[in-house]
Amino acid sequence: MDWPNHEGAWREWRSASSGSRMHHGWILAGKKGLGKHDFALAAAAELVAEAGVPQPSDPANHPDILTLTYGPKDDKAEKAAADGKPHELARSIRVKQIRAMQRRLTTRPTLGSRRVVIIDPADDLERASANALLKSLEEPPPGTFFLLVTHSPARLLPTIRSRCRVLRFPPLSDAQLSAMLDAAGASSDPEARAGALKAAEGSFGAAMRFAQQDLGSLARAMETLLAQGDNAMAGRGELVRLIGPRPDRERIQATFDLAQALVAARARETASNPERGALVEAHAKLVRLAGEAPVHNYDTGLLALEIGTLLVGARAASEPADG
């Protein structure tokens, strides 16, 4: 896929890689859905390639490019994974994954003199995992480079950030997003497209989730709650209906992305300081709820009501007091 927001990152990366001393640790920073993982694979392939040495066509299958991401949740899931069966993934990158990677680094690269470790998302390293990784960043084996894909760099240990160079990936423009949605075969319905662009806030991943989930009517319901409130609970009831009785994880995530994007957009547009403050607080609560919901297995009906109540509450809190 062609990512038009990668031009600056490529210039900086290739300028560094053509120098005499390439930095061994890199943080690829930007919101979700900006193609950072695609960049990491392509950059790693350039880094490990050597003249006269045949390379695999797919960098994801390169023996000298190691990718660490969410592994199986527990022993049962590990057995299912080993048997090629569906399994649940952990919500963090475990220390045993870092230890296994470090054991690999004690051997020589397979095809050339360089090896790249991609950690995606590095935001979700467990504390013990982050501390273990720090040792490798402090004393990297010869020819070893680390690419840490992160959506929230502030969540990384300061000591990890201090040992890495940062590449930042800017959000996509609406025109770029629209062209990418066309190339991906997403719906061209004007209302759905406008909703996808607004909800995405520059993220192609978010725009695709919105388009695939057909959330146009859900966006209208949320905007109504933000604009008009919901004294009789009818609006929140409609939100429950639109989200559905058994939404999968993708639909729940898309719903949270949409709610957060609409609140953030309204906060940017308002000229009222009280309203902006209420919207910022609602956004923070939505982010927190999104993080808690998968862990605590919320009832989806109650979850939809809670989302609606936060939207209504942001409007109510921003209204001036009587008198």
Side-chain angles (χ1 to χ4, degrees):
M1 177 179 289
D2 179 32
W3 292 91
N5 59 324
H6 287 188
E7 292 181 1
W10 276 120
R11 283 195 300 270
E12 187 172 347
W13 173 265
R14 287 173 175 151
S15 174
S17 63
S18 64
S20 58
R21 295 190 64 182
M22 175 69 164
H23 200 77
H24 70 276
W26 292 78
I27 291 172
L28 311 187
K31 67 189 301 181
K32 290 182 180 180
L34 296 180
K36 301 188 297 297
H37 184 79
D38 287 357
F39 180 94
L41 283 174
E46 286 193 1
L47 201 56
V48 300
E50 293 188 9
V53 180
Q55 302 288 318
S57 58
D58 183 1
N61 295 323
H62 198 295
D64 296 325
I65 299 175
L66 313 180
T67 299
L68 275 64
T69 187
Y70 306 116
K73 179 181 178 181
D74 49 29
D75 292 343
K76 181 180 178 181
E78 284 188 3
K79 185 178 186 307
D83 294 338
K85 298 178 181 178
H87 57 280
E88 190 173 354
L89 296 178
R91 294 180 57 79
S92 61
I93 296 174
R94 308 286 178 77
V95 67
K96 67 179 181 180
Q97 294 175 265
I98 300 296
R99 300 294 188 204
M101 174 269 291
Q102 290 170 327
R103 289 193 292 272
R104 286 280 301 275
L105 299 186
T106 62
T107 64
R108 293 178 56 83
T110 302
L111 298 182
S113 60
R114 290 178 168 182
R115 176 184 280 136
V116 178
V117 177
I118 299 171
I119 301 180
D120 181 15
D123 314 66
D124 288 337
L125 285 163
E126 292 179 342
R127 182 78 181 195
S129 306
N131 286 326
L133 174 64
L134 182 58
K135 296 178 181 179
S136 293
L137 288 171
E138 289 172 337
E139 298 181 11
T144 299
F145 300 85
F146 295 87
L147 302 182
L148 310 185
V149 176
T150 175
H151 316 310
S152 302
R155 292 178 58 188
L156 297 175
L157 290 178
T159 44
I160 287 180
R161 296 200 303 269
S162 69
R163 285 164 175 77
C164 296
R165 183 167 167 177
V166 179
L167 279 181
R168 299 194 181 278
F169 292 76
L172 292 147
S173 69
D174 282 358
Q176 291 170 335
L177 275 178
S178 192
M180 293 177 74
L181 288 171
D182 286 337
S187 170
S188 58
D189 174 75
E191 186 176 19
R193 177 62 57 87
L197 297 181
K198 188 170 186 178
E201 294 193 297
S203 164
F204 176 67
M208 280 299 294
R209 279 198 300 275
F210 187 97
Q212 291 164 354
Q213 293 288 343
D214 190 21
L215 299 182
S217 56
L218 191 61
R220 289 192 297 274
M222 289 182 177
E223 288 181 321
T224 298
L225 292 174
L226 278 169
Q228 301 176 16
D230 187 31
N231 291 334
M233 291 288 292
R236 276 166 280 192
E238 178 67 358
L239 207 63
V240 173
R241 186 188 70 80
L242 291 170
I243 293 174
R246 292 187 177 87
D248 59 21
R249 179 172 292 188
E250 284 296 312
R251 187 165 181 80
I252 292 173
Q253 182 60 57
T255 298
F256 274 115
D257 288 346
L258 175 60
Q260 292 168 27
L262 293 176
V263 169
R266 194 173 180 90
R268 287 193 298 270
E269 294 164 1
T270 183
S272 165
N273 287 332
E275 183 179 18
R276 184 178 299 109
L279 289 163
V280 168
E281 183 178 355
H283 189 277
K285 290 179 178 178
L286 283 166
V287 171
R288 186 161 58 248
L289 183 62
E292 294 172 351
V295 176
H296 296 298
N297 296 316
Y298 277 70
D299 175 271
T300 52
L302 294 176
L303 188 62
L305 287 173
E306 180 65 16
I307 292 171
T309 297
L310 288 173
L311 298 177
V312 172
R315 178 184 181 277
S318 65
E319 293 177 335
D322 292 337

